[in-house]
Amino acid sequence: QRAAAMGQDYYAVLELGRGASDGDIKEAYRTLALRNHPLKCKEPWAPERFRQLAEAYDVLSDPRKKGVYDKFGEEGLKGGVPLELGTENSWSEGYVFHNNPYKVFKDFFGGDNPFAEFFTQDGLEPNMAFGGLRGRGARKQDPPIERELFLALEDLFHGCTKKIKISRRVMNEDGQSTSIRDKILTIDVQPGWKQGTRITFEKEGDQGPNVIPADITFVVREKPHPRFKRAGDDLVYVATIPLVKALVGCAVAVRTLDGRLLNVPVND
């Protein structure tokens, strides 16, 4: 405990005691960073205070860095500590803050983070709950995601059901962390759909603490067909006919998309 008292006291920077929980650390940074951001606080000391808050949160929110700091203090954290297992390098690499408090702020609150969105029109902080900001403008939706859906002409003629598996990030019960999970999206293809038809699933993109999930849109693309080409609502069939038969007339057998066999007459 004596070593941990040496150097900068990150707990004191966040106005916390050493028994603070992970939730306490998040809530303290949330409140103090908003209050002391240089765009809101015009005091000359605000930039340095804002930087100190970012460094303190960067350390205490990381279990590994927090563990080293709690045991060895700032001096051990930044100077390196002896490794428990013997290796070629007997000392750990020291911690160096990247000195970009705005990155910490942006990563914490999420989004593109225009600072004005974190305050109401009268300059007051909006109501906040653990796990993210609430209030108008606090959350932004991710840009839409587009994927191509390739369909055969038979699918577009008869209609069909397509099931598509997507992998996306979903929020865990703690309201802060995420995990990758699969989900099946079902598309009921209607007869007559054309290339370029768009099917949108609202808010099925990645989830995040302060993110509105993106919409996922599937755009229909027609697969090349071995017999037909589509021209609007018509199907074009190209047949090679010997000149003699073309001159005297004949019939061409055409297998349709619904399985019928048509004999199409060719007149001279």
Side-chain angles (χ1 to χ4, degrees), residues 34-46:
L34 285 169
R35 184 183 303 160
N36 293 279
H37 194 291
L39 288 181
K40 184 184 181 187
C41 181
K42 301 304 181 181
E43 298 293 340
W45 43 259

Side-chain angles (χ1 to χ4, degrees), residues 63-76:
R64 184 187 64 80
K65 288 183 283 193
K66 181 178 182 295
V68 173
Y69 174 75
D70 286 344
K71 188 173 182 180
F72 298 99
E74 183 189 19
E75 182 177 316

